[in-house]
C-alpha cells in the first residue's frame, strides 16, 4: 500500500484489546504505517479482566469436584483439600503480566507504534493523545479505528456502590466465603460456578423466570438442574432491592423479602460500549439505538475515515468476533480484498459454568420458528467417568435438524469440556452438513462426543 504523505499514519487505532491489536498487526503486515494508543493494559478485557483470568479461575474451581471424583478411582487424599485464594489470584496476575509483555512484543515486532496515552478523537483524521505524565500530542491518520470495547454496567439501586463489577472480581483482597451474583447472563452463571467450586456459599439472583435468555430452553433448564445439584442457590424472579453494610459483610435485601448476608456482591448486569471521553460527538460519529457505534459492512462509521469494531459495535460481545472483524476490516481497507461477510448465524460460543455449555446455530425454539418441520435428536446421560467417581453430573447433547433439507442447523451440549467439543461440531454446522453426514461419520469410542454421531432416532419433531 502506498504511503500517504498527507498523514502521519495510514491507520491509528484507539484501544489495544483483542480487535485493536489484531487490526494494528495485520494492517502493519500489509505495509500500512500504524499507531495504537492504550492508556490501561495491553490485551483489553479478554486478557486482563475477561476470558483469560476467568478461564484460569474456572480451572481452579473444577478441582473441587476432581478431588472427590478421584476417590472412586482409588486415590486417597492425605487430608481434606484446602484452597488458598491469594495463590490463585497472584499466580493469575503473573500470567497476565506475561501475556501483556507478549502483546507488547507482538506489536513492536509488527512495526506498530505503541503510545501509552488516553486518546480522543478530535476530527475525521485527527486524534489527541494525553499521556499519564500530562504530555499532549496531536496525530493525523488517514483512517482511525475505534476499538475501545465495552465496560461493565451496574444498575442504580440503594447500596449499588457496594457491589463490585466484573473488572474488580478478579482481584478481591479477601476470599468471599459467601458470594452473591446479580444477573442471568454469561458472567453471572460463570462466576456463580467459579465461587461455588472454590468453596463459597453462592447465590445467583436473576430477575427473570430462568437464566441464559436466548439459549436453547432445554439447555437452560438442564443447566439450572446441574448448577442447583452442585449447590448454587438459584433465586429466579428476584432482584436486589438494596444492599446495606453489616460490619465487613453485606446484607442484601431481595424483592422477595428475603435478606441474604454475604461477603461480596458481583453485579453481572451487562456491559456498555466504552465510548466515554472518546470524542464521538465532536467528530460527528453517530450511535445506534442501543448506544453502540453504528457501522456499515465495511466497519465505517457515519464519518467514513473513522472505523469501529468489536464490543463498540452491534453484534455478539465475543473476542473471536472482534478478531474476525479485525481481519475483515484489514482485508477491505488495506489489502483491497473483498472478503465474504462474516456468518454471524453460526458463531459458536461456550459458557464456562459448571458443567460447561457449548452451542452453535439455532436453538430448538428459533428453529421451530424458521422451519416448517424440524427433527430434534437429544440424549442425556451420566458420563463413563462418573460411573466410578460417584459424581451425579449428567451430560446433555442435542442436534436440531431442518427436516426438509436434513441440514443440522443447531448443536448444543451441556457437559464437561462442551466448548472444546462444540468447536469441531461448529465446522460441520457452518458447512451446512446434513444429519446423514453426521450418521455416516464413525464415532470415537469410548468418548462422550461419539453421541453426536450415534443419535439415530428423533426424540421429537
Ligand atoms: P449479559 O448481557 O449476558 O447478561 C446481563 C444480565 O443482567 C441479564 O441476565 C440481564 O437480565 C441482567 N440485567 C440487566 N439489567 C438488569 C437490572 N437492571 N437488574 C437486574 N438484572 C439486570 O451480560 P454479562 O454481563 O453477563 O456479559 C456481557 C457479555 O460479555 C456477554 O453478553 C457475552 O457476550 C460476553 N461474555 C462472554 C463470555 C464467554 O464467551 N464465555 C463470558 C463472559 C462474558 P435479562 O436477561 O432479563 O435482560
Amino acid at each position: 500500500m502506498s504511503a500517504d504523505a498527507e498523514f502521519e499514519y495510514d491507520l491509528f487505532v484507539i484501544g489495544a484489546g483483542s480487535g485493536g491489536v489484531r487490526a494494528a498487526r495485520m494492517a502493519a503486515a500489509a505495509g500500512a504505517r500504524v499507531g495504537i494508543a492504550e492508556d490501561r493494559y495491553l490485551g483489553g478485557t479478554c486478557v486482563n479482566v475477561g476470558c483469560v483470568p476467568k478461564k484460569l479461575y474456572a480451572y481452579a474451581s473444577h478441582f473441587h469436584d476432581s478431588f472427590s471424583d478421584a476417590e472412586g478411582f482409588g486415590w486417597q487424599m492425605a487430608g481434606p483439600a484446602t484452597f488458598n485464594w491469594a495463590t490463585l489470584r497472584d499466580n493469575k496476575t503473573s500470567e497476565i503480566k506475561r501475556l501483556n509483555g507478549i502483546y507488547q512484543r507482538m506489536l513492536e515486532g509488527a512495526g506498530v507504534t505503541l503510545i501509552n496515552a488516553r486518546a480522543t478523537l478530535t476530527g475525521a483524521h485527527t486524534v489527541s493523545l494525553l499521556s499519564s505524565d500530562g504530555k499532549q500530542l496531536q496525530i493525523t491518520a488517514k483512517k482511525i479505528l475505534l476499538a475501545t470495547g465495552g465496560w461493565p454496567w451496574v444498575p442504580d439501586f440503594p447500596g449499588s456502590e457496594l457491589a463490585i463489577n466484573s473488572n474488580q472480581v478478579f482481584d478481591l483482597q479477601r476470599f468471599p466465603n459467601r458470594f452473591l451474583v446479580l444477573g442471568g447472563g454469561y458472567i453471572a452463571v460463570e462466576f456463580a460456578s467459579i465461587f461455588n467450586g472454590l468453596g463459597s456459599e453462592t447465590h445467583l439472583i436473576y430477575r427473570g423466570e430462568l437464566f441464559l435468555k436466548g439459549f436453547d430452553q432445554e439447555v437452560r433448564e438442564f443447566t439450572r438442574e446441574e448448577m442447583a445439584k452442585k449447590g448454587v442457590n438459584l433465586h429466579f424472579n428476584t432482584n436486589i432491592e438494596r444492599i446495606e453494610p453489616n460490619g465487613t459483610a453485606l446484607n442484601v435485601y431481595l424483592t422477595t423479602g428475603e435478606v441474604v448476608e454475604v461477603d461480596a456482591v458481583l453485579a453481572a448486569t451487562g456491559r456498555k460500549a466504552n465510548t466515554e471521553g472518546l470524542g464521538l460527538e465532536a467528530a460527528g460519529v453517530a450511535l445506534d439505538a442501543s448506544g453502540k457505534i453504528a457501522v456499515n459492512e465495511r466497519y465505517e462509521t457515519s464519518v467514513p475515515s473513522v472505523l469501529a469494531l468489536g464490543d463498540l459495535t452491534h453484534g455478539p460481545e465475543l473476542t473471536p468476533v472482534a478478531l474476525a472483524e479485525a481481519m475483515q476490516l484489514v482485508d477491505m481497507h488495506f489489502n483491497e480484498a473483498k472478503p465474504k461477510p462474516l456468518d454471524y448465524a453460526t458463531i459458536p460460543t461456550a459458557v464456562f459454568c459448571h458443567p460447561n455449555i457449548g452451542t452453535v446455530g439455532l436453538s430448538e425454539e428459533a428453529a421451530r420458528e424458521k422451519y416448517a418441520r424440524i427433527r430434534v435428536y437429544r440424549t442425556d446421560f451420566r458420563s463413563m467417568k462418573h460411573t466410578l467417581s460417584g459424581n451425579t453430573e449428567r451430560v446433555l447433547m442435542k442436534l436440531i435438524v431442518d427436516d426438509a433439507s436434513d441440514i443440522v442447523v443447531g448443536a448444543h451440549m451441556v457437559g464437561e469440556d462442551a466448548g472444546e467439543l462444540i468447536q469441531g461440531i461448529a465446522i460441520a454446522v457452518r458447512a451446512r452438513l446434513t444429519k446423514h453426514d453426521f450418521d455416516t461419520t464413525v464415532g470415537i469410542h469410548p468418548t462422550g462426543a461419539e453421541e453426536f454421531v450415534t443419535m439415530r432416532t428423533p426424540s421429537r419433531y
Side-chain angles (χ1 to χ4, degrees):
M1 114 146 247
S2 66
D4 198 323
E6 199 187 332
F7 303 105
E8 291 159 78
Y9 294 98
D10 298 312
L11 176 68
F12 195 83
V13 182
I14 304 181
S18 303
V21 167
R22 177 63 65 90
R25 285 175 50 218
M26 292 298 128
R33 298 163 303 161
V34 184
I36 189 165
E38 173 60 64
D39 74 336
R40 200 168 284 113
Y41 25 58
L42 295 180
T45 300
C46 177
V47 168
N48 295 279
V49 285
C51 332
V52 173
K54 180 277 307 289
K55 188 78 189 277
L56 294 174
Y57 285 8
Y59 281 129
S61 61
H62 276 290
F63 283 105
H64 183 272
D65 277 357
S66 304
F67 290 131
S68 57
D69 290 352
E71 284 174 24
F73 293 89
W75 290 94
Q76 296 273 301
M77 302 284 290
T82 58
F83 169 69
N84 188 308
W85 168 250
T87 304
L88 173 64
R89 183 194 60 208
D90 299 348
N91 285 350
K92 171 275 301 173
T93 303
S94 310
E95 171 57 10
I96 285 170
K97 283 204 178 113
R98 190 182 74 85
L99 296 175
N100 295 145
I102 290 177
Y103 267 70
Q104 179 162 351
R105 287 193 293 281
M106 273 192 322
L107 285 167
E108 289 168 354
V112 174
T113 307
L114 172 60
I115 303 174
N116 179 228
R118 177 95 197 152
T120 309
L121 200 59
T122 48
H125 297 281
T126 51
V127 174
S128 119
L129 298 163
L130 179 65
S131 62
S132 53
D133 56 7
K135 282 203 194 96
Q136 199 133 16
L137 178 72
Q138 182 99 352
I139 64 94
T140 60
K142 190 171 179 191
K143 289 183 183 176
I144 297 165
L145 171 60
L146 308 176
T148 52
W151 198 254
W153 171 82
V154 178
D156 195 19
F157 54 80
S160 60
E161 70 284 357
L162 297 169
I164 52 169
N165 66 29
S166 59
N167 288 351
Q168 298 162 318
V169 69
F170 292 103
D171 289 302
L172 292 174
Q173 277 309 305
R174 276 187 315 127
F175 181 73
N177 290 317
R178 298 159 302 175
F179 178 79
L180 182 145
V181 57
L182 173 66
Y186 282 77
I187 297 181
V189 295
E190 288 184 346
F191 274 94
S193 293
I194 286 170
F195 280 100
N196 184 58
L198 295 178
S200 306
E201 175 198 304
T202 302
H203 299 266
L204 182 147
I205 311 296
Y206 176 52
R207 63 181 176 181
E209 196 92 355
L210 183 57
F211 53 23
L212 295 169
K213 206 161 73 183
F215 282 77
D216 182 274
Q217 179 70 13
E218 198 175 10
V219 164
R220 298 165 73 194
E221 289 169 6
F222 194 86
T223 306
R224 175 188 64 201
E225 300 314 309
E226 290 300 311
M227 281 181 66
K229 259 173 21 191
K230 289 186 188 297
V232 179
N233 298 288
L234 300 169
H235 308 250
F236 294 134
N237 296 312
T238 307
N239 214 329
I240 297 182
E241 205 174 77
R242 67 183 195 278
I243 307 176
E244 287 179 2
N246 172 10
T248 58
L250 299 169
N251 284 345
V252 184
Y253 293 81
L254 304 180
T255 48
T256 51
E258 219 181 324
V259 185
V260 191
E261 188 182 322
V262 292
D263 303 302
V265 175
L266 168 64
T269 38
R271 295 168 60 85
K272 293 256 186 285
N274 189 14
T275 54
E276 212 183 300
L278 203 50
L280 299 183
E281 258 179 49
V285 173
L287 300 181
D288 65 19
S290 64
K292 296 207 164 189
I293 296 180
V295 289
N296 63 17
E297 67 288 349
R298 287 175 51 81
Y299 304 96
E300 291 161 348
T301 68
S302 52
V303 179
S305 58
V306 178
L307 316 174
L309 54 57
D311 290 1
L312 267 184
T313 60
H314 180 71
E317 297 170 356
L318 299 169
T319 283
V321 172
L323 296 177
E325 291 176 347
M327 303 295 277
Q328 292 245 323
L329 181 150
V330 169
D331 265 355
M332 289 173 185
H333 291 267
F334 298 95
N335 289 326
E336 274 137 46
K338 283 202 179 100
K340 277 194 186 153
L342 270 187
D343 179 6
Y344 287 92
T346 54
I347 291 170
T349 174
V351 188
F352 296 96
C353 49
H354 296 188
N356 295 175
I357 300 171
T359 177
V360 60
L362 297 178
S363 65
E364 180 178 339
E365 297 70 43
R368 278 194 199 290
E369 278 190 17
K370 184 163 179 185
Y371 298 103
R373 181 176 151 101
I374 60 168
R375 277 175 268 138
V376 177
Y377 297 82
R378 54 91 64 209
T379 177
D380 71 285
F381 57 92
R382 195 176 185 189
S383 73
M384 184 195 270
K385 178 176 164 191
H386 295 319
T387 55
L388 292 200
S389 73
N391 191 325
T392 59
E393 184 176 302
R394 294 184 74 77
V395 180
L396 171 72
M397 286 179 173
K398 193 167 170 181
L399 290 175
I400 318 291
V401 179
D402 166 32
D403 192 47
S405 65
D406 197 41
I407 291 171
V408 177
V409 295
H412 308 275
M413 174 174 172
V414 185
E416 196 173 343
D417 288 331
E420 303 289 343
L421 213 144
I422 285 291
Q423 180 69 81
I425 302 284
I427 301 171
V429 173
R430 160 136 177 70
R432 299 176 63 74
L433 297 188
T434 60
K435 182 66 171 61
H436 177 72
D437 292 313
F438 277 64
D439 292 344
T440 48
T441 301
V442 175
I444 303 173
H445 188 69
T447 63
E450 68 184 314
E451 294 290 329
F452 270 124
V453 294
T454 54
M455 290 187 276
R456 288 285 186 268
T457 315
S459 307
R460 53 185 173 265
Y461 290 90

